[in-house]
Amino acid sequence: MGFTDLLSDTGLTMLNSWLTTRSYITGYGPSQADVASFKGLKEAPSAAKYPHAYRWYKHMSSYQSEFSSLPGDPSKAYTTYGPEATSVTMNPKDAPKAAEEEEEDEDLFGSDDEEEDPEVVKQREANLAAYKQKKAGKAKPAAKSLVTLDVKPWDDETDMKELEANMRTIEMDGLTWGASKLVPVGFGIKKLQVNLVVEDEKVSVDDLQAKIEEDEDHVQSTDVAAMQKL
């Protein structure tokens, strides 16, 4: 019947029991089954009362940024996973002896003393190693910023087309020029306002401003009008 709920003592006990001999809800790696079960919890289970569920919860917390990319069907509810049937009704430490004996007879989750098939263990370890290698090799997207620069000319006689053309000849790894426009500042003078995207680790905005200001025939100064992380 799967997990009935993940909020009550009964539900958390069932989850804890299920994870006693498992690293994940199903299979040998994180999947949408883990995502659905993780989201079904209101908070981390008590480490004292539900140590196996707590261990799994902390482990899955490290995958939150990858939840949408994990394998499996994201439309399935957590109630579709877990044991087919169970007689667990309370925390095992509070259960009477009769209930403990009945659980031993049913042996829902298997015995810790049973030895696993060496081939199964070998395959599981190989799958985990392959997943960890894939995760380690996945390149994280570069941190980028959207910057708006004000480029100010000397006077109203400065050729703004030449100023912009000279500015756009500047090439830096991680720099992408965007749209620009002329903005009146007074007395017939217009400044050039240009948008650009920079990779934070590759491009220093200060260095870029210095390069633009090297065009002393056209550029009086530059200012950062706005900057935001992408």
Side-chain angles (χ1 to χ4, degrees), residues 2-62:
F3 299 125
T4 54
D5 76 88
L6 296 177
L7 299 177
S8 68
D9 183 68
T10 299
L12 288 170
T13 297
M14 185 185 299
L15 176 65
N16 188 68
S17 297
W18 183 252
L19 292 168
T20 299
T21 58
R22 296 171 174 83
S23 297
Y24 302 98
I25 299 299
T26 62
Y28 303 118
S31 68
Q32 291 301 321
D34 296 282
V35 174
S37 302
F38 183 93
K39 291 181 177 179
L41 291 164
K42 183 171 63 174
E43 59 188 2
S46 167
K49 293 181 67 177
Y50 316 108
H52 303 295
Y54 175 80
R55 177 258 306 160
W56 165 83
Y57 185 92
K58 299 302 288 185
H59 178 59
M60 287 307 303
S61 294
S62 66

Side-chain angles (χ1 to χ4, degrees), residues 36 55 74 87 107 124 128 152 174 192 204 217:
R55 177 258 306 160
S87 61
D107 194 21
R124 180 172 69 230
L128 286 173
K152 301 173 184 178
L192 177 67
S204 164
D217 291 337

